[in-house]
Amino acid sequence: MKTIPYGEKVREIAEHYGPMHQLAKANEELGEAIAAITRYTLQPTKVNFKAMAEELADVTIMIDQLKILVPELHGEVARAQMKKVDRQLDRIAEESILEEWRKK
């Protein structure tokens, strides 16, 4: 039996439903992930951890599908990620400088 790669499976699902349906589905999955993260934050049990992981997997799958269905999204997301990571690292550096200053 031939194993079908993850990317091919995701592409098949994405192309079957199309972009508008999968955008709506992504919205639903993001809401479910928020709820699962909140439950785990309030009560960090193994059950809630597993539920959170499942919902985050759903979100990741939806993002992968959207990158297939809207090809320009992949590059735009990558650029936004780099910009946001760089900005956060700048904030951390500023916090470190402030902490050092406060210690004096």
Side-chain angles (χ1 to χ4, degrees):
M1 176 160 74
K2 182 183 174 197
T3 303
I4 301 172
Y6 168 82
E8 288 181 30
K9 293 177 183 180
V10 170
R11 178 175 297 282
E12 184 176 339
I13 296 165
E15 290 175 351
H16 175 78
Y17 290 106
M20 296 314 289
H21 180 275
Q22 293 311 77
L23 282 166
K25 186 69 174 172
N27 190 44
E28 175 189 326
E29 297 297 352
L30 286 161
E32 291 173 3
I34 290 167
I37 291 167
T38 301
R39 281 191 302 276
Y40 180 73
T41 301
L42 296 173
Q43 192 173 17
T45 64
K46 287 182 182 180
V47 169
N48 286 343
F49 180 82
K50 184 173 171 43
M52 179 178 66
E54 292 281 332
E55 295 303 337
L56 290 173
D58 288 343
V59 168
T60 302
I61 293 166
M62 295 312 302
I63 291 169
D64 291 343
Q65 289 181 52
L66 293 176
K67 287 178 180 179
I68 290 166
L69 292 167
V70 186
E72 59 274 15
L73 188 61
H74 191 273
E76 196 64 34
V77 168
R79 282 186 288 280
Q81 284 175 310
M82 187 58 74
K83 181 179 174 182
K84 289 176 177 284
V85 166
D86 287 343
R87 186 174 63 212
Q88 190 60 40
L89 289 173
D90 288 344
R91 289 178 184 146
I92 290 170
E94 288 174 15
E95 290 171 8
S96 297
I97 291 168
L98 284 174
E99 283 300 314
E100 287 300 317
W101 182 78
R102 288 181 183 141
K103 289 179 183 177
K104 294 180 182 183

